[in-house]
Amino acid sequence: MNRLSTGIPKLDKKIQGGYPEGEAILVTGEPGAGKTILGIQFLYQACMEGKKCMMIATEETPEKILLHAKMLGFDLEPFYLNNCFSIMRILEMRTSPTGISSTTTQDPGMYLDDLNDLTQLIADNVEAVVVDNIGTFSIGTDL
C-alpha cells in the first residue's frame, strides 16, 4: 500500500510510513490541539513532493491560512500562486440561503447541504485534501 507522508518523520515512522493513500483520516481533538497545523504540515509535505493539493476551509480565509502556514514555517503561497495548492472556503456556501457567497466561485445553484457533496468540489487531479473543520457541517443539524 502506498503511503503519503504526514510531514512529520517520527509520526510517519510510527504509522508505517504515513497515511494510507486513498483513505480518509479523521483527526479529532480539543480546540488548540493542533489539528489545523497537522493538516497544513501534511499539505505542505505533499506540495513539496509535487502533488496537487487542496484545503476545504470552513472557518478561515485563504489569506489567513497562507499567513498562518508561513508563520509556522510552511510557506504554501508559492504552491497557491502556481495552482498546485488551492483553498476553497465553503462555510459561507453552507450558511448562505442561495449556496453562493462573495468568496466562492462555484457555479450558480451549487449548495452544500450534505457532507457527501464535498466530493463534487474536489477536482480529479487533486491528490491530497484536508477539510478543516468538518464539525462545521453539523451546524443546524441534530446530532
Side-chain angles (χ1 to χ4, degrees):
M1 170 178 284
N2 289 335
R3 301 269 179 171
L4 299 175
S5 174
T6 65
I8 306 168
K10 286 185 179 181
L11 179 57
D12 285 348
K13 187 175 180 179
K14 288 185 180 279
I15 59 173
Q16 302 170 340
Y19 301 128
E21 188 174 18
E23 298 291 328
I25 307 297
L26 177 65
V27 177
T28 64
E30 297 292 323
K35 301 175 297 293
T36 300
I37 295 170
L38 187 67
I40 287 171
Q41 195 162 0
F42 166 69
L43 290 171
Y44 180 77
Q45 180 66 35
C47 285
M48 292 294 290
E49 293 174 3
K51 292 178 174 38
K52 181 112 170 141
C53 301
M54 176 181 198
M55 177 176 265
I56 298 174
T58 62
E59 295 178 344
E60 298 290 344
T61 64
E63 296 80 14
K64 279 190 177 183
I65 291 166
L66 292 172
L67 177 63
H68 292 154
K70 189 171 188 174
M71 289 172 48
L72 293 166
F74 307 112
D75 190 1
L76 289 167
E77 190 168 6
F79 303 107
Y80 184 76
L81 294 174
N82 290 329
N83 295 317
C84 296
F85 172 61
S86 61
I87 302 170
M88 180 173 290
R89 188 168 184 218
I90 61 170
L91 176 60
E92 290 179 1
M93 283 174 61
R94 169 87 167 99
T95 58
S96 170
T98 63
I100 303 298
S101 79
S102 60
T103 60
T104 62
T105 57
Q106 297 303 308
D107 295 331
M110 180 161 202
Y111 182 69
L112 280 175
D113 60 353
D114 182 34
L115 192 56
N116 292 326
D117 290 342
L118 277 178
T119 58
Q120 295 175 13
L121 302 177
I122 303 167
D124 290 337
N125 63 342
V126 171
E127 300 169 88
V129 179
V130 168
V131 179
D132 184 39
N133 157 334
I134 205 161
T136 303
F137 289 94
S138 65
I139 294 172
T141 61
D142 293 325
L143 298 177

